[in-house]
Amino acid sequence: MEYTIRLDRMEFRALHGCYELERKVGNRFTVDLALTAELGDVAVRDDVTLAVNYLTVYEIVREQMRVTQHTIERVATNIIEALYTAFPQLRHVRCTVAKLAPPLGGKLDRVSVTLER
């Protein structure tokens, strides 16, 4: 049996961007995750050590958001790769990284990318 864990609208201040100013002053970003994993004995044993621990997931995302990148595609890729390394029971990861109020010269709520593996 499989189960899905969602972490929605995690918000971070980070230095990602194509422009030098973005990498100096930073911007606000959100990350949304849907993680599908093999349930195994998690529910039967009621043992969090067997589960995809969402506190650890959050810490991994926070760590990856601290690594400055030029594109949010690279940020999402780094997050996905780090999660698969930490949790071998993962079967599918959907990661959306959004830059809030991007500097495009007009009013825009966010720009985002979604990667899945």
Side-chain angles (χ1 to χ4, degrees):
M1 186 180 316
E2 293 181 336
Y3 69 114
T4 300
I5 297 173
R6 294 187 54 89
L7 286 84
D8 296 320
R9 304 253 330 138
M10 294 177 277
E11 190 167 326
F12 303 92
R13 183 137 191 97
L15 302 174
H16 310 303
C18 296
Y19 305 110
E20 186 177 338
L21 183 61
E22 291 180 292
R23 293 188 305 276
K24 285 184 180 179
V25 301
N27 203 340
R28 290 175 33 241
F29 295 82
T30 60
V31 178
D32 297 303
L33 287 175
L35 311 171
T36 301
E38 186 62 38
L39 184 60
D41 289 336
V42 173
V44 172
R45 292 188 186 176
D46 196 24
D47 186 349
V48 71
T49 65
L50 302 174
V52 175
N53 185 308
Y54 53 83
L55 174 60
T56 304
V57 170
Y58 181 86
E59 290 170 354
I60 288 169
V61 173
R62 182 174 58 194
E63 180 181 306
Q64 293 304 316
M65 290 301 291
R66 290 180 178 156
V67 179
T68 300
Q69 302 294 338
H70 286 103
T71 66
I72 55 178
E73 290 87 349
R74 181 72 244 175
V75 175
T77 298
N78 291 349
I79 291 168
I80 291 170
E81 289 174 353
L83 289 168
Y84 272 102
T85 298
F87 300 105
Q89 67 269 48
L90 286 175
R91 298 292 179 253
H92 185 261
V93 175
R94 179 183 172 98
C95 177
T96 300
V97 177
K99 181 184 289 190
L100 306 181
L104 298 179
K107 183 165 174 44
L108 179 66
D109 183 47
R110 74 187 70 227
V111 63
S112 66
V113 299
T114 300
L115 276 64
E116 296 186 52
R117 181 171 125 198

